[in-house]
Amino acid sequence: EGEEAWTDVPFIQEAEKEDADVAVVFPRPIVKGEHLRLRVSYKGDKVLTDMGEKNYAVLARTGWYANLGFFTDPATFDLTYRVPLGNEIISVGDPVETRAEGKESVSVWKATKPIQVAGFNYGKFRKREKTDEISGLGVEVWTNPGTPDVVREINAIFTGDAADTLSEGLVSGPTIGGGLGKVNTERLAESALTDGLNSARLFTTYFGPLPVSRVAITQQSQWSFGQSWPALIYLPYLAFLDGTQRQRIGLAQAKDFVDEVGFHEFAHQWWGHLLGWESYRDQWLSEGFAQFSAALALQHTKGWGAYDRFWREVRKQIVGKDPGNAFAPWQAGAITDGYRAASQRSPSAGFALIYEKGGYVLHMLRMAMFDGRAPEPDAHFIAMMKDFTATYAGKNPSTADFEAVVERHLVPSLDATRDGKIDWFFRQWVTGTEIPKLSTNLKIDKAPDGWRIQGTVSQGEVGPDFHTLVPLYVELDKDKFAQVGLIPMVGTVSVPVDVVVKPPKKPRRALVNARGEVLARE
C-alpha cells in the first residue's frame, strides 16, 4: 500500500442522527468486472454500552464496520482490535495474535473464507472449552465474572433499596422474593458448554459439517437478546440464571426460552451463516430452520415428550390470536410474505410466520419422512438436509431451491398427488395460507384377529385441492403411539375408517396426528 497512489473521492452522508449510510461518487463510470479498492476511514462512539463490572453490550451490530449490506455481502476479514489492558475481544474469524502495546491489548483475527457478517464481543471473560469427539468441533464458553448493573438493580428492588421499577420491565410475574443474590455465571457456563457440545454433535450429524474448527459461545450482557455470528454466539444473560433465580424475580415462564435459545443460536451456524437466504421471502430458511433445530435438540436431550410439547406450543402461536392482534398470524399471510405480513392489525404475524410456521413446515417434512422401523428413522430427512447444505454452502438459496432439494428426496408419504412432485406441499404450506380443521369420530372394538378401528376422520375449511396425508395411530400407553397408516384427504371431506390392527396390547384409544404431523387448527 505504501507505494500505491490513492485518490480522494467525494462521498455523500447525511447528519449522524438521520442516516449513517454513505454514498461514494466515483470520478468515472465503473466497468463491469473491473476491480477497485476503496479505503474508508470512519469513527463512532455508539458501538459499546458499559453494563457494569466489565460487562459490555455491543449495540451497533450492523454498522460498526463499513459494509455493502448486512448478510448480503460475503467477504473475508482481517480484523485488528485495540482495547484497554484487562479486557478481551472474542471475534469472528480465527485468533492470529494477541500482544500488549503500552496500556492496550492488541488482538488480530482473520476470516480467510468469505462470511456473511462480522461481529465481536468485548469485556472481561473466563473461558471453558472442549472438543466434541464426533463432530471434531471445538466449543468455547466465555463468561464474565463480574455483576452487571441490571442484577444489582434487581437485588436492590427486592431488598427495598430501590424503586420498584426497571427500564427493561423484567419483573413481570409472581415472585417468591429475595432477588437474584450472586449470579455464578461460571457454574452455569458448564450447562452452556454441554448444550454447545450436544448442538455440535447433533447438527453436524443431521446437517453436515461446518467450515470452521471452533465456535465461541459468549455471555451477552443484554438481558434476553441472543444472536449468532460466524463461529461466535451471544447468549443472553437470562440464560445464565438458574430456575430458582428466575422464579424469584417472576420469570419462571422464561424456562422454555432458556432451554431453547442456546440451541437456536448454535443452529444459525448452519442456517444463516453456512447458508444464507435470497430475499425477505426466504428468511424462514434461516429462522424457521433454527427453530426446528432447537426442537430437534430438545428431542435428543429430553425425549419425544419435549419435542411434542414444543410443536404444540408453536401451533398455538400460529393459530392463536395474540393480544393486540385483530386476527391470528396464519390469517395475515404466507411464510413467503415474511415480515411484510406484519401490520398495525397483526403486529405479531411476521415473526410467527417466519419463525414458528417456518419451523413447523420443516417438522412436517421430517415426520413425513420418518421411518420408525429403520435403523436410523431419520435417514431420508438427514440425506435431504445434507444435500441442501452441501449444494448451497456459501450461497443464498431461495425457497424454490429448497423445494427442488426436497423433491430429489421425495418419499411415498410425501407424494400426495402421486406424480413425484412436491409443489403441492409448498403451495399449501409455504406460499399459501390455508390451515385445515381436523376432527375424528373413532372407536375401538375387539375383533377375532385383533382390534377393529371404525369411524370417520374429517378435514374442513380448506379449498377443494388441499391435500393432506393424515397419520392414524393407536395409543398403547400414555403418550406411547404406534402408527397404523396414512389417510389421504383432499379438500373438505370425511373419510370412513375401518381397519383391524394387531398391537401387542389393547389400545387405549385411536387418534390421528399424534405428533402434529399436519398443522391443523384443531
Side-chain angles (χ1 to χ4, degrees):
E1 285 189 16
E3 299 299 321
E4 292 178 322
W6 292 85
T7 302
D8 288 339
V9 293
F11 63 91
I12 301 169
Q13 186 176 32
E14 297 175 77
E16 176 186 356
K17 294 183 178 180
E18 293 179 18
D19 185 1
D21 289 347
V22 178
V24 175
V25 182
F26 288 98
R28 58 175 175 78
I30 299 173
V31 179
K32 183 178 180 180
E34 181 181 5
H35 290 270
L36 295 174
R37 297 177 68 196
L38 184 67
R39 186 166 63 187
V40 178
S41 298
Y42 59 100
K43 65 180 180 179
D45 59 359
K46 300 294 192 296
V47 175
L48 295 169
T49 295
D50 189 340
M51 307 291 281
E53 292 195 12
K54 296 195 175 183
N55 286 273
Y56 294 86
V58 183
L59 299 183
R61 296 171 183 176
T62 61
W64 71 272
Y65 67 96
N67 62 84
L68 293 177
F70 208 61
F71 275 101
T72 60
D73 179 34
T76 58
F77 287 86
D78 186 344
L79 299 159
T80 299
Y81 300 91
R82 297 177 179 272
V83 304
L85 281 176
N87 286 348
E88 298 172 86
I89 287 284
I90 303 104
S91 173
V92 300
D94 292 317
V96 175
E97 177 190 7
T98 300
R99 65 182 187 272
E101 288 187 6
K103 295 182 178 181
E104 291 183 329
S105 174
V106 180
S107 61
V108 179
W109 301 71
K110 288 187 178 181
T112 56
K113 295 180 180 179
I115 56 179
Q116 303 272 21
V117 63
F120 68 94
N121 208 344
Y122 171 70
K124 184 175 178 61
F125 297 100
R126 290 175 179 162
K127 177 184 177 184
R128 290 183 180 226
E129 62 181 324
K130 192 172 182 179
T131 298
D132 172 55
E133 294 179 358
I134 295 176
S135 67
L137 198 60
V139 178
E140 306 167 1
V141 176
W142 300 76
T143 56
N144 182 286
T147 302
D149 292 340
V150 67
V151 172
R152 288 197 295 272
E153 281 186 56
I154 291 170
N155 286 333
I157 288 172
F158 282 94
T159 57
D161 295 330
D164 191 13
T165 58
L166 273 176
S167 57
E168 294 190 49
L170 300 176
V171 183
S172 59
T175 70
I176 60 174
L180 292 172
K182 176 65 176 176
V183 178
N184 188 341
T185 56
E186 187 177 14
R187 177 172 58 83
L188 290 164
E190 191 64 36
S191 175
L193 182 62
T194 299
D195 285 350
L197 291 167
N198 284 332
S199 297
R201 183 180 311 122
L202 178 65
F203 298 157
T204 299
T205 299
Y206 270 74
F207 311 139
L210 291 175
V212 298
S213 60
R214 46 170 284 282
V215 174
I217 300 170
T218 65
Q219 177 186 312
Q220 153 69 304
S221 294
Q222 284 184 297
W223 190 256
S224 58
F225 185 83
Q227 189 168 347
S228 186
W229 312 83
L232 170 65
I233 292 170
Y234 289 163
L235 204 58
Y237 200 86
L238 181 59
F240 293 95
L241 305 184
D242 61 33
T244 300
Q245 288 170 322
R246 295 196 302 270
Q247 188 177 3
R248 281 176 179 169
I249 61 171
L251 287 175
Q253 73 274 18
K255 181 181 184 305
D256 288 346
F257 171 78
V258 172
D259 286 347
E260 298 157 15
V261 64
F263 296 133
H264 178 105
E265 298 304 339
F266 208 106
H268 275 308
Q269 297 303 310
W270 284 262
W271 317 122
H273 298 310
L274 179 62
L275 281 70
W277 63 92
E278 186 174 274
S279 77
Y280 73 89
R281 294 188 178 278
D282 313 296
Q283 196 169 354
W284 72 284
L285 298 176
S286 173
E287 297 297 354
F289 279 41
Q291 282 291 79
F292 167 82
S293 302
L296 185 69
L298 287 176
Q299 180 230 312
H300 280 266
T301 56
K302 296 189 175 185
W304 279 102
Y307 183 81
D308 294 341
R309 179 176 175 273
F310 181 97
W311 295 116
R312 286 196 298 270
E313 293 301 313
V314 165
R315 190 194 71 83
K316 292 177 185 177
Q317 297 298 315
I318 299 167
V319 303
K321 187 175 73 171
D322 284 345
N325 289 258
F327 37 80
W330 70 274
Q331 297 170 305
I335 291 174
T336 48
D337 290 329
Y339 282 111
R340 289 184 64 186
S343 67
Q344 288 184 330
R345 299 190 67 206
S346 58
S348 302
F351 178 92
L353 291 169
I354 294 170
Y355 283 70
E356 312 291 21
K357 192 179 179 187
Y360 208 107
V361 162
L362 200 54
H363 158 66
M364 291 170 64
L365 287 171
R366 180 211 181 183
M367 296 314 300
M369 303 176 88
F370 194 86
D371 183 358
R373 298 163 297 180
E376 171 47 77
D378 275 320
H380 294 299
F381 180 76
I382 290 171
M384 178 186 75
M385 298 305 285
K386 285 186 172 180
D387 186 1
F388 186 44
T389 57
T391 302
Y392 291 101
K395 301 176 183 177
N396 295 319
S398 67
T399 297
D401 293 329
F402 179 59
E403 179 180 339
V405 172
V406 176
E407 194 161 284
R408 289 204 290 264
H409 296 267
L410 196 70
V411 294
S413 54
L414 276 172
D415 193 10
T417 50
R418 297 294 180 260
D419 58 0
K421 302 292 184 181
I422 196 65
D423 56 343
W424 69 272
F425 182 92
F426 281 77
R427 186 170 59 249
Q428 289 176 187
W429 299 110
V430 181
T431 61
T433 61
E434 291 183 293
I435 294 180
K437 281 189 174 182
L438 296 179
S439 59
T440 62
N441 181 15
L442 299 171
K443 64 176 183 176
I444 300 179
D445 294 310
K446 189 73 179 76
D449 53 349
W451 296 91
R452 188 176 187 181
I453 304 172
Q454 289 180 294
T456 58
V457 177
S458 301
Q459 173 174 275
E461 299 193 26
V462 288
D465 296 325
F466 195 94
H467 289 77
T468 51
L469 292 164
V470 181
L472 175 66
Y473 286 90
V474 289
E475 185 179 28
L476 302 177
D477 291 305
K478 182 173 174 56
D479 296 330
K480 301 293 183 183
F481 307 105
Q483 186 172 327
V484 174
L486 292 171
I487 304 171
M489 310 186 82
V490 183
T492 298
V493 65
S494 288
V495 177
V497 174
D498 191 347
V499 61
V500 175
V501 296
K502 300 177 182 180
K505 59 188 294 187
K506 178 183 177 180
R508 293 166 56 124
R509 58 175 175 149
L511 70 161
V512 299
N513 213 27
R515 298 228 122 91
E517 294 93 333
V518 177
L519 177 58
R521 281 183 269 170
E522 293 180 358

